[in-house]
Amino acid sequence: CDRLGPTAKRGRIETVVFVQADLVPEARGVVWDCRGERPVPADWGADIHSHWDTAFLESALAEFPDKELVSFVTRGAATSSDAAGLTMVLGPHLTSLAAGFAEASANVDEFCDLGWFEAVRERAFPFVPCRSCPKGSVTNSTGKTRTTSDGGCPRSETNPPAMSLNEATRASHRVPEVKPTNGDVAKAMAVLRYAADLFGEDLIVLSDDFKCYFNQFRTHPSEWLKAAFFWLEVALGTPVPVWIVEYVLGFGLTASSGIAQRFSHALLWILARRFDAEEAANPELDPARAQYLKKRAALGDFQAAFFVLLCYTDDVIFIIVGVARAIRLLEAWGKLIAEVNLLMAGEGKRQLGSCVKWNGVFHNAFLCNQVIPEDKVVRARRFAATALAHGPMPFREYRSATGLLGHLKC
């Protein structure tokens, strides 16, 4: 990959599996940390060194019902993959890595500088047992290449048999992943459009995006042995083999999306409570508005609010009645971002006005409608035509198409 780039080819490389019986009796039943001068039992109580203000999060989320999530963001996230056991699995990188090797190499360097990854040199393995988490790459519709983690390794049967991390995660009992839909936005927009028209105000929509969201989640020390990969470090022009240990969630692990979604719910829970209290401190004096809010309040929690806060994994959308209220909400959101020390995407990912593109669809708050971009319509029609004709379709395209249709449904 380093020499040939996208033209690199890889022959068949078998995944190697070692079980506890392959270790000397004295070493069995223990995870050995081999990153230092000599192997020692791994410390599950080690500091996770999160860049987030974990003390603030622990305090702000003291009453948040998802206590496991609070533990994940303050003491380290867990992939719920213990069913994989203490099996050592060493697998090859995916062939897709060749197309995005330059980006992957830059990511490794950047993440090592951030402390999200660590290069372990001159050691046979960083942990024993450990699991290699091979790398690959995908290219999105904008042409940007993203490095992926192969949580599905091993991809074929092994001898002795081994369960992948993603398979183990799917077999566990996890909190269901609940994401907002375009239909949720449509319903919220219809309600708030009525309120805005009723009181002669503008309906404002804004969106925001987190940077490298999965990678901002530090993992629990018990996860570190499950996320290492073999790499070539270029020093003085000479490639040197090293192990890279990941201390953060990766893109390609089944657990990552659900954990990120739950934290997004938690952040908006904090923001909604704060802003609702701010709104309550400035009650509506107009009798018509007060009567409207009273009727809305009878429908349940936050039904009397002049704002709706939603987030699909890392894509935030706020719908707000009134320019002044939108400014106050932006200030409250900015304050929360600073308090947690979240890393946000660049200005190009932010939108504000009467129409924004979110979750693949244009949401127009002025006309109160939604427009599906033409390229997505063409893709959906092509997929439907192929499926109806019972034509062959690569699984990767099928999965992409069903994901697209899932985004577009209301």
Side-chain angles (χ1 to χ4, degrees), residues 79-266:
T79 58
S80 303
S81 56
D82 290 346
L86 295 180
T87 304
M88 196 160 184
V89 181
L90 307 175
H93 291 299
L94 298 173
T95 55
S96 62
L97 177 62
F101 184 76
E103 291 83 355
S105 185
N107 279 347
V108 170
D109 292 342
E110 179 187 359
F111 288 4
C112 282
D113 290 341
L114 290 168
W116 294 354
F117 290 179
E118 179 187 12
V120 179
R121 304 173 180 86
E122 300 178 359
R123 298 289 180 269
F125 300 103
F127 295 92
V128 174
C130 73
R131 279 179 168 264
S132 63
C133 193
K135 295 301 168 186
S137 69
V138 294
T139 302
N140 63 20
S141 58
T142 65
K144 182 179 179 181
T145 301
R146 170 183 280 175
T147 306
T148 63
S149 299
D150 185 16
C153 177
R155 291 282 170 176
S156 56
E157 290 186 9
T158 59
N159 186 20
M163 180 183 287
S164 74
L165 291 184
N166 286 349
E167 185 181 0
T169 297
R170 287 191 291 268
S172 67
H173 296 286
R174 295 177 293 145
V175 174
E177 186 173 353
V178 180
K179 294 183 182 292
T181 66
N182 290 317
D184 294 328
V185 174
K187 286 182 283 188
M189 198 169 280
V191 172
L192 295 182
R193 177 74 266 172
Y194 175 79
D197 290 343
L198 193 62
F199 303 116
E201 299 229 47
D202 294 314
L203 187 60
I204 307 298
V205 191
L206 66 91
S207 69
D208 207 348
D209 195 356
F210 301 105
K211 178 182 179 181
C212 303
Y213 198 29
F214 293 173
N215 303 129
Q216 293 194 52
F217 289 81
R218 287 283 183 158
T219 51
H220 189 269
S222 62
E223 295 288 321
W224 296 347
L225 75 152
K226 305 173 187 176
F229 58 93
F230 205 55
W231 203 246
L232 287 178
E233 182 179 61
V234 179
L236 300 176
T238 303
V240 178
V242 297
W243 279 98
I244 303 294
V245 180
E246 301 183 60
Y247 300 125
V248 293
L249 290 177
F251 180 78
L253 302 180
T254 294
S256 297
S257 178
I259 293 171
Q261 184 65 58
R262 290 160 66 187
F263 185 48
S264 296
H265 289 324

Side-chain angles (χ1 to χ4, degrees), residues 3 6 17 20 22 122 128 190 253 258 274 299 309 370 410:
R3 289 185 295 105
V17 176
Q20 288 291 294
D22 294 318
E122 300 178 359
V128 174
L253 302 180
R274 284 182 170 184
L299 299 177
L309 317 175
Q370 297 175 326
C410 290

Side-chain angles (χ1 to χ4, degrees), residues 153-395:
C153 177
R155 291 282 170 176
S156 56
E157 290 186 9
T158 59
N159 186 20
M163 180 183 287
S164 74
L165 291 184
N166 286 349
E167 185 181 0
T169 297
R170 287 191 291 268
S172 67
H173 296 286
R174 295 177 293 145
V175 174
E177 186 173 353
V178 180
K179 294 183 182 292
T181 66
N182 290 317
D184 294 328
V185 174
K187 286 182 283 188
M189 198 169 280
V191 172
L192 295 182
R193 177 74 266 172
Y194 175 79
D197 290 343
L198 193 62
F199 303 116
E201 299 229 47
D202 294 314
L203 187 60
I204 307 298
V205 191
L206 66 91
S207 69
D208 207 348
D209 195 356
F210 301 105
K211 178 182 179 181
C212 303
Y213 198 29
F214 293 173
N215 303 129
Q216 293 194 52
F217 289 81
R218 287 283 183 158
T219 51
H220 189 269
S222 62
E223 295 288 321
W224 296 347
L225 75 152
K226 305 173 187 176
F229 58 93
F230 205 55
W231 203 246
L232 287 178
E233 182 179 61
V234 179
L236 300 176
T238 303
V240 178
V242 297
W243 279 98
I244 303 294
V245 180
E246 301 183 60
Y247 300 125
V248 293
L249 290 177
F251 180 78
L253 302 180
T254 294
S256 297
S257 178
I259 293 171
Q261 184 65 58
R262 290 160 66 187
F263 185 48
S264 296
H265 289 324
L267 290 171
L268 298 188
W269 180 85
I270 297 172
L271 182 61
R273 284 175 51 133
R274 284 182 170 184
F275 199 67
D276 203 46
E278 183 180 324
E279 291 273 272
N282 299 281
E284 288 290 349
L285 301 178
D286 181 83
R289 291 193 182 206
Q291 183 63 24
Y292 169 83
L293 292 175
K294 182 179 180 180
K295 290 181 178 179
R296 292 294 306 173
L299 299 177
D301 292 341
F302 294 109
Q303 293 299 309
F306 281 128
F307 61 93
V308 169
L309 317 175
L310 298 171
C311 184
Y312 189 101
T313 311
D314 58 347
D315 294 320
V316 176
I317 184 169
F318 297 161
I319 311 168
I320 317 106
V321 174
V323 174
R325 183 175 289 104
I327 292 172
R328 295 202 311 274
L329 184 58
L330 267 175
E331 291 173 343
W333 176 236
K335 179 183 178 183
L336 180 58
I337 290 170
E339 287 172 319
V340 179
N341 197 28
L342 286 157
L343 303 180
M344 306 303 292
E347 293 82 355
K349 289 292 190 78
R350 293 173 177 166
Q351 305 169 84
L352 185 149
S354 61
C355 182
V356 302
K357 186 179 181 182
W358 180 86
N359 204 16
V361 171
F362 289 103
H363 298 269
N364 191 315
F366 182 73
L367 298 175
C368 207
N369 66 2
Q370 297 175 326
V371 177
I372 301 173
E374 185 176 2
D375 65 309
K376 294 186 182 296
V377 174
V378 171
R379 284 177 56 202
R381 291 182 64 181
R382 186 185 300 124
F383 166 68
T386 303
L388 291 173
H390 303 288
M393 178 180 297
F395 178 73

